[in-house]
Amino acid sequence: MLKRTTNVDEALYDYLLSVSLHETDVMRRLREETSHLPMGGMQIAADQGSFMALLVQLIGAKKTLEVGVFTGYSSLVVASALPEDGKVYACDVSEEWTSVGRRYWEEARVAHKIVLNLAPGVETLDRFLEEGQAGTFDFAFIDADKNNYDLYYERALKLLRVGGLIAIDNTLWHGKVIDETAQDDDTVAIRALNAKVHADERVTSSLVPIGDGVMLARKR
């Protein structure tokens, strides 16, 4: 029998959550509030949050990067997993959406770990590089405008230390990556980045089928 990832239906997914989810009440309430917003589907899944928290702890991360904050669930999850002196350098362009996250960051007492940069992501990452921060980040999460994914990836790779980890969200793109009729800019950009990371000798990579697909790339 061919071995492959198990198909997860609703009942099995509920079981998965029951034995793997590590979510505080504050996290749950932020996730639930976001789910009712018109763009609530942009939020990462709860099990993906727990997975990311485990990743940052496994690599001993203290300084992390996030490109694309939305309402701040991923920022909250990562910040909560970091040591007390850890930092999340979060990049977004929306005061409206990030203001939702700020309330929960404060309530969870992790706001001091999150440095929010409200500016285009490429602009912020270029500033970090100009400030001499190349090679100083342990972990980067990319979940923003898909047509700029390659630009974020290249800059994040420079900012990461050797052994650091990049996690790129939406890399299965609801299955559109294998739909040859889907030639919109976002789908084309994600396909191209998946192929690039897979062939990139600067990293060791794996595309993990959690949430909408997370491409993991460890800097060599």
Side-chain angles (χ1 to χ4, degrees), residues 14 35 43 46 54 67 90 104 119 128 156 158 173 183 200 215:
D14 288 342
S35 71
Q43 181 173 239
L54 177 61
V67 184
Y104 289 92
F128 290 164
K158 292 177 183 177
W173 203 222
Q183 296 298 325
D200 194 344
M215 176 67 83

Side-chain angles (χ1 to χ4, degrees), residues 27 49 52-54 56-57 61 75-83 110 113:
M27 292 174 187
M52 287 171 55
L54 177 61
V56 298
Q57 291 179 332
S75 307
L76 173 58
V77 166
V78 172
S80 299
L82 294 178
V110 296
K113 296 183 185 180

Side-chain angles (χ1 to χ4, degrees), residues 52 55-56 59 61 63-65 78 137-141 160 165 167:
M52 287 171 55
L55 289 177
V56 298
I59 66 173
K63 184 179 182 182
T64 74
L65 177 67
V78 172
F137 285 81
D138 303 302
F139 176 80
F141 179 52
L160 229 59
L165 185 68

Side-chain angles (χ1 to χ4, degrees), residues 3-23:
K3 295 293 184 179
R4 48 154 293 165
T5 301
T6 299
N7 289 325
V8 180
D9 60 16
E10 287 297 320
L12 189 55
Y13 185 65
D14 288 342
Y15 171 77
L16 181 154
L17 294 180
S18 73
V19 296
S20 69
L21 190 60
H22 298 282
E23 188 179 48

Side-chain angles (χ1 to χ4, degrees), residues 79-106:
S80 299
L82 294 178
E84 187 60 25
D85 59 345
K87 295 290 183 188
V88 177
Y89 290 83
C91 310
D92 206 282
V93 294
S94 175
E95 174 65 40
E96 177 185 5
W97 296 130
T98 56
S99 67
V100 176
R102 286 177 188 266
R103 289 189 279 111
Y104 289 92
W105 300 343
E106 290 287 349

Side-chain angles (χ1 to χ4, degrees), residues 103-157:
R103 289 189 279 111
Y104 289 92
W105 300 343
E106 290 287 349
E107 184 178 351
R109 299 182 180 178
V110 296
H112 63 288
K113 296 183 185 180
I114 302 172
V115 181
L116 181 61
N117 299 268
L118 288 175
V122 170
E123 178 182 310
T124 301
L125 300 186
D126 282 344
R127 175 168 58 83
F128 290 164
L129 290 168
E130 290 167 3
E131 292 171 350
Q133 297 194 57
T136 67
F137 285 81
D138 303 302
F139 176 80
F141 179 52
I142 300 174
D143 184 17
D145 49 316
K146 312 312 174 191
N147 60 323
N148 279 325
Y149 261 21
D150 186 73
L151 298 178
Y152 300 142
Y153 172 71
E154 287 295 334
R155 286 158 174 79
L157 199 56

